[in-house]
Amino acid sequence: MKIGIYSIVLGGLLCNVASAETELSADKLAGYRQSIQAYGGALKQELTTAIKSGGAIAALEVCHLKAPKIAQQISEKAGVSVARTSLKPRNAASAPDAWEEEVLNTFEARKAKGEDVNTLEFHAVVETEGKREARYMKAIPTAEVCLTCHGSKIKPDLMEKITALYPQDKAVGFNVGDLRGAFTVRETLTAAQ
Ligand code: HEC
């Protein structure tokens, strides 16, 4: 009888330990999707306005200076880290970490099997060295407008500026419909989350 009670108590403890969620909650996922939408929307607006008013070279400045700033603002507002990454990054600081690289490779494989790049996403709770982190990624497809700066026929004066700003640039040679990269969100979770 005694053993029975102990095992129930022990069972309860084990259960508590194991109950730290390994799946992202629907609320968190919805929040991450919203942050990405805000980030993507703001970028698109800035880019379109800049191209219209000052052409591709002015827009390059926007991507260079404003994209990281917008990411920072949205990250602070949402209390999570929001960024972009790519297997062929322009900004070396946007190179993927090991987890992101694997997800990007999976996105390429899923795309090759016929999945729509517009809806590709992946999320997980990742545990590293006792730290739990929620991670979310959403694919970024290449549209026509992107080819001005990420395509195969970039104007020489524009390319010169790109190379001056990003000597390690890899983000060229893309075609419409290609996976350009992904939005990436991360949040450190507390034990109760
Ligand atoms: C006017 C030039 C220009 C256009 C047009 C443009 N980009 Fe970029 N893109 C850049 C620059 C510059 C960066 C580097 C920004 C930075 O320093 O973080 C960049 C970075 C990125 C990144 C972050 C990863 C990396 O490579 O550093 C992604 C993803 C991206 N662009 C996707 C797109 C998509 C999708 C479109 C079309 C909707 C697009 N870009 C249109 C210039 C451009």
Side-chain angles (χ1 to χ4, degrees):
M1 199 48 198
K2 247 187 183 167
I3 290 166
I5 290 166
Y6 279 132
S7 54
I8 288 166
V9 171
L10 200 64
L13 282 176
L14 284 176
C15 208
N16 279 341
V17 172
S19 75
E21 289 294 331
T22 49
E23 262 301 309
L24 218 60
S25 71
D27 275 2
K28 284 214 174 289
L29 188 56
Y32 298 162
R33 285 185 178 133
Q34 214 167 28
S35 297
I36 290 310
Q37 226 168 20
Y39 184 27
L43 281 176
K44 206 174 213 172
Q45 200 181 359
E46 292 281 357
L47 188 66
T48 318
T49 314
I51 289 182
K52 259 192 207 147
S53 63
I57 292 191
L60 184 70
E61 282 291 305
V62 166
C63 294
H64 174 56
L65 298 171
K66 288 213 175 148
K69 226 172 246 173
I70 297 170
Q72 199 187 343
Q73 280 164 359
I74 294 193
S75 298
E76 279 167 14
K77 203 170 143 210
V80 299
S81 154
V82 173
R84 294 183 299 173
T85 187
S86 172
L87 289 171
K88 287 167 65 179
R90 172 148 292 164
N91 187 336
S94 296
D97 68 12
W99 190 85
E100 287 165 337
E101 191 176 344
E102 203 180 310
V103 175
L104 285 166
N105 282 325
T106 316
F107 281 172
E108 288 287 7
R110 284 166 64 182
K111 176 181 173 280
K113 278 194 189 153
E115 269 193 71
D116 182 357
V117 189
N118 290 290
T119 53
L120 281 176
E121 60 169 9
F122 185 75
H123 56 84
V125 173
V126 179
E127 196 158 343
T128 19
E129 292 159 12
K131 199 179 87 175
R132 290 171 62 247
E133 201 175 33
R135 304 199 68 166
Y136 170 76
M137 281 174 72
K138 179 162 173 50
I140 302 174
T142 309
E144 186 80 40
V145 62
C146 318
L147 302 185
T148 311
C149 300
H150 295 298
S152 311
K153 292 181 212 134
I154 300 167
K155 291 209 176 105
D157 57 340
L158 184 60
M159 198 62 230
E160 205 176 295
K161 289 236 158 36
I162 293 174
T163 314
L165 289 170
Y166 305 96
Q168 300 175 56
D169 179 37
K170 293 198 184 85
V172 292
F174 286 89
N175 293 306
V176 171
D178 282 350
L179 178 75
R180 171 60 191 90
F183 290 110
T184 179
V185 179
R186 51 201 302 178
E187 181 184 17
T188 303
L189 299 175
T190 61
Q193 282 177 313

